Amino acid sequence: MCGIIGCVGRGDETLDTLVHGLSKLEYRGYDSAGVAMASGGVDLCKTAGKIEDLRDALSSVSLSGSVGIGHTRWSTHGPPTNANAHPHQDCTGDVAVVHNGIIENYQSLRDELVSAGHTFTSDTDTEVVPHLIEDELADGTAPEAAVRSAISRLEGSYAIAAVIAGTEAVFAARHDSPLVLGLTEGATFLASDVPAFRDFTDQVIYLDDGEFARLDADGWAVSTLDGSPVEKEVNVVEWDPEETGKSGYDHYMLKEIHEQPRALRQCLRGRVDEMAGTVDIEDLGDLSPTGVQFVACGTSYHAALYGAQLFREAGIPAQAFLASEYATAVPPIGDALVVGVTQSGETADTLSALREARKRGARTMAVTNVVGSTAARECDHAFYIRAGPEIGVAASKTFSTQLAALNLLMLGMTNEEGAREVIAALRELPGNVQRILDESNAEAVAETYRDADSYFFIGRGYQFPVALEGALKMKEITYKHAEGFASGELKHGPLALVTENTPVFAVVTGDGEQARKTVGNVKEVEARDAPVVAITDGQSDVGRYADHVLELPETHPRAAAVLANTHLQLLSYHTAALLGRNIDKPRNLAKSVTVE
Ligand code: M6R
């Protein structure tokens, strides 16, 4: 996810402070970076690539001033190029803006500004902001009021910082994207995350949604966007600068598990109309395939299994293939669409399967997290899950957002009956995931079974891929043996492995036929003395046969899959933590697997 830094009052050290802050935000993932400094005018330097590339670019230009903003960009609108890197400017060059988030109404604002004679130089949604500020300034509005007025026209999510020529201040506002102020004698900072300025201060103020901040060398002021002053509490950061990057969490994985509500909101934003019961994926063009084939690996394969089931339920033939096996599988049939599900967009097996599909004449699509990734560039279509960068090797928030995105894709391509219920459940998902994060007793369950020989996970229908994913997560970060099964398969062999030292985690939602059958399978393992942990919404009587229950709220079975998985993520995480494993970088594994 993008990173913002702003700074006022560090005199000649302002530029170095900005670049240092950006380097502290690198963990968020980014593909371009830039800075802008304001004095009588605004000087700017930005480039695609890493902070080192920015340092190189800065060595051949001269930027002056003691007021500045900087940005690391993780592409959403437009590829990672110099032109799309932030900061963005207006036509006069007197305004510079950095932004995190997605401005949903940018197209209509851009059309309006272009008709009024503004010239745009990037593909980004952000660029509308400096031009809106420019118009306000041209009308004689004072700088601060001009920024407020421009921001009040935005819909979507944003953390924004702006500087204006001749004004010794940084202006900032947030809605659904974090911003925090850092305070010292004589200098004030602003950033997406504390690590950016933690080397200078431990005094911070967290901005809330709808708030606007003005930073001057001698102080700061926070107000609502329409100008009412807001009293803010100054917090003291407890952790040392060395712990930067994890926002206070012990591991990136735990941080990313906790980021799921926000990631899911970001995934859904601007794509669903709850009132109309529709999903808008029009930017993908006209997609009405006769069949869908998914290709993917690992966690993404589990999402693909879930996706294939979604399409089959909507009446479109669909299958999920392990990408590494695809070449030997059936060729694309008729007008099938081949969909690569891949967080990174760089997984060699998945790229190879997509290339094979194209060779056989299929249309292809990447469902991915990374704009500008190879899969996104090579496929005919790209659909972004918008989870934000994931640093822990174990996929967590990207699995949840893959499931949400696949629902959107299916609903956008079909006229499935019951779309309204699914959309309502998707809208409730971020809040329900938050509830599980707040209330889950997975840590206590992890403690109980930390010495188990083996862990088994079972589920049916949408909960089958969740069982597979629960087992993958467990083996990946704890190094313990774990297997996921379709509930009905246990009795066809794996039941021989079941003992009193092999806990069975059963995902059971609803009270229909599938739930009743899985409860039957649970009784089979209980009769063989295996401890049972039920992950359930309590609609069936599985709790009667369970030693522990991880509770879910009642919801649509498709949404329940994401909720059940959240408990299982926490279970694996806490088991691995108790065992002292290297959770973010498990042995032998890489985040992006670029060999076949
Ligand atoms: O980037 P991709 O989604 O294509 O990666 C595929 C797998 O390597 C990946 O999902 C892997 O299984 C996870 N990191 C496991 O947590």
Side-chain angles (χ1 to χ4, degrees):
M1 220 171 300
C2 309
I4 286 177
I5 172 84
C7 167
V8 188
R10 299 257 316 145
D12 292 348
E13 291 175 48
T14 304
L15 180 58
D16 286 347
T17 305
L18 293 175
V19 177
H20 175 75
L22 292 181
S23 71
K24 292 289 185 178
L25 295 172
E26 281 190 293
Y27 75 91
R28 298 166 72 88
Y30 69 104
D31 43 43
S32 47
V35 288
M37 307 266 291
S39 49
V42 171
D43 295 330
L44 179 146
C45 180
K46 58 184 188 169
T47 180
K50 296 293 173 194
I51 301 297
E52 275 323 299
D53 300 305
L54 178 65
R55 285 189 215 276
D56 283 351
L58 281 166
S59 63
S60 52
V61 293
S62 151
L63 267 60
S64 59
S66 60
V67 174
I69 52 177
H71 191 262
T72 47
R73 173 175 188 253
W74 194 78
S75 307
T76 56
H77 290 67
T81 59
N82 290 353
N84 288 336
H86 297 215
H88 288 285
Q89 287 189 284
D90 64 325
C91 300
T92 66
D94 281 346
V95 180
V97 169
V98 294
H99 160 234
N100 295 352
I102 296 175
I103 298 170
E104 282 168 18
N105 60 335
Y106 87 97
Q107 192 61 57
S108 59
L109 291 171
R110 187 172 171 136
D111 292 346
E112 173 192 317
L113 288 158
V114 168
S115 332
H118 289 263
T119 305
F120 279 72
T121 57
S122 78
D123 307 320
T124 64
D125 51 341
T126 305
E127 199 185 342
V128 295
V129 185
H131 290 282
L132 288 170
I133 297 173
E134 176 190 356
D135 271 358
E136 293 289 338
L137 293 171
D139 287 347
T141 312
E144 180 173 330
V147 179
R148 286 180 191 276
S149 176
I151 290 173
S152 70
R153 299 211 46 205
L154 309 179
E155 290 166 18
S157 63
Y158 52 77
I160 283 177
V163 291
I164 297 175
T167 307
E168 290 276 306
V170 172
F171 303 107
R174 78 154 270 176
H175 179 71
D176 264 3
S177 189
L179 272 182
V180 55
L181 310 190
L183 316 174
T184 64
E185 266 314 287
T188 318
F189 304 85
L190 164 89
S192 311
D193 200 357
V194 177
F197 54 67
R198 178 65 187 87
D199 288 329
F200 305 103
T201 183
D202 61 358
Q203 308 285 308
V204 304
I205 292 175
Y206 294 98
L207 286 192
D208 290 310
D209 279 350
E211 289 179 349
F212 181 93
R214 176 185 174 118
L215 280 62
D216 299 284
D218 54 0
W220 52 273
V222 177
S223 52
T224 58
L225 192 52
D226 54 14
S228 311
V230 178
E231 293 262 321
K232 298 296 288 183
E233 185 189 347
V234 178
N235 294 273
V236 178
V237 176
E238 300 285 338
W239 44 267
D240 293 334
E242 294 78 57
E243 290 179 55
T244 55
K246 295 180 195 136
S247 303
Y249 289 97
D250 288 344
H251 298 95
Y252 282 113
M253 183 185 180
L254 189 59
K255 174 170 175 261
E256 286 155 5
I257 288 172
H258 281 266
E259 283 173 347
Q260 289 178 114
R262 184 147 54 89
L264 285 161
R265 277 191 200 101
Q266 194 83 347
C267 177
L268 300 176
R269 193 182 297 284
R271 290 169 164 174
V272 293
D273 181 338
E274 198 168 351
M275 297 295 280
T278 55
V279 166
D280 179 6
I281 53 162
E282 271 167 27
D283 51 337
L284 292 179
D286 181 25
L287 290 167
S288 33
T290 52
V292 180
Q293 294 183 342
F294 289 95
V295 292
C297 308
T299 294
S300 295
Y301 173 67
H302 301 150
L305 285 169
Y306 172 101
Q309 192 175 334
L310 288 175
F311 277 86
R312 286 197 298 271
E313 255 190 4
I316 297 183
Q319 292 159 287
F321 296 91
L322 286 167
S324 53
E325 292 292 315
Y326 183 69
T328 54
V330 291
I333 311 148
D335 191 27
L337 177 70
V338 178
V339 179
V341 183
T342 167
Q343 184 281 130
S344 60
E346 303 295 347
T347 300
D349 287 323
T350 307
L351 292 175
S352 158
L354 287 166
R355 287 171 191 149
E356 180 66 30
R358 241 184 340 273
K359 225 189 312 170
R360 296 180 192 181
R363 282 180 303 153
T364 55
M365 175 187 288
V367 173
T368 184
N369 198 28
V370 183
V371 175
S373 61
T374 306
R377 280 184 280 111
E378 290 189 2
C379 287
D380 300 311
H381 309 277
F383 190 56
Y384 295 106
I385 63 172
R386 300 182 185 162
E390 192 175 63
I391 293 167
V393 163
S396 56
K397 62 177 178 172
T398 54
F399 180 66
S400 305
T401 45
Q402 281 171 342
L403 300 195
L406 289 168
N407 273 289
L408 297 180
L409 192 62
M410 185 279 286
L411 292 171
M413 280 165 59
T414 67
N415 294 317
E416 199 200 29
E417 277 180 36
R420 206 176 285 275
E421 287 75 36
V422 179
I423 289 170
L426 291 174
R427 293 300 285 241
E428 285 176 356
L429 201 45
N432 280 337
V433 170
Q434 187 62 55
R435 222 168 112 188
I436 292 191
L437 294 172
D438 294 341
E439 296 170 9
S440 176
N441 51 330
E443 185 170 3
V445 175
E447 175 74 59
T448 306
Y449 298 114
R450 59 178 284 175
D451 297 321
D453 291 342
S454 222
Y455 301 81
F456 296 130
F457 296 80
I458 60 172
R460 271 169 205 266
Y462 289 111
Q463 314 312 343
F464 168 47
V466 172
L468 295 179
E469 177 59 11
L472 176 64
K473 215 88 309 178
M474 184 63 96
K475 63 183 105 174
E476 180 179 21
I477 60 170
T478 69
Y479 314 157
K480 301 260 268 176
H481 179 249
E483 290 300 327
F485 300 105
S487 309
E489 275 296 294
L490 261 190
K491 59 187 177 295
H492 296 293
L495 201 54
L497 296 171
V498 165
T499 70
E500 71 275 3
N501 208 22
T502 57
V504 177
F505 295 82
V507 187
V508 188
T509 59
D511 60 354
E513 174 120 7
Q514 290 193 343
R516 275 200 303 282
K517 285 184 180 172
T518 300
V519 173
N521 304 131
V522 164
K523 288 183 197 160
E524 288 157 16
V525 299
E526 196 225 3
R528 281 142 186 100
D529 295 329
V532 172
V533 180
I535 301 93
T536 182
D537 54 12
Q539 291 193 67
S540 69
D541 64 349
V542 69
R544 283 176 49 192
Y545 310 101
D547 299 274
H548 301 273
V549 172
L550 297 172
E551 283 176 23
L552 308 175
E554 279 185 34
T555 182
H556 196 285
R558 295 180 191 169
V562 178
L563 301 179
N565 183 61
T566 305
H567 276 304
L568 298 183
Q569 290 170 342
L570 291 169
L571 172 82
S572 295
Y573 172 81
H574 288 298
T575 308
L578 288 165
L579 295 170
R581 303 299 192 226
N582 187 355
I583 294 178
D584 284 331
K585 291 187 180 146
R587 67 184 180 203
N588 307 335
L589 301 179
K591 183 70 183 157
S592 183
V593 184
T594 52
V595 289
E596 283 186 62

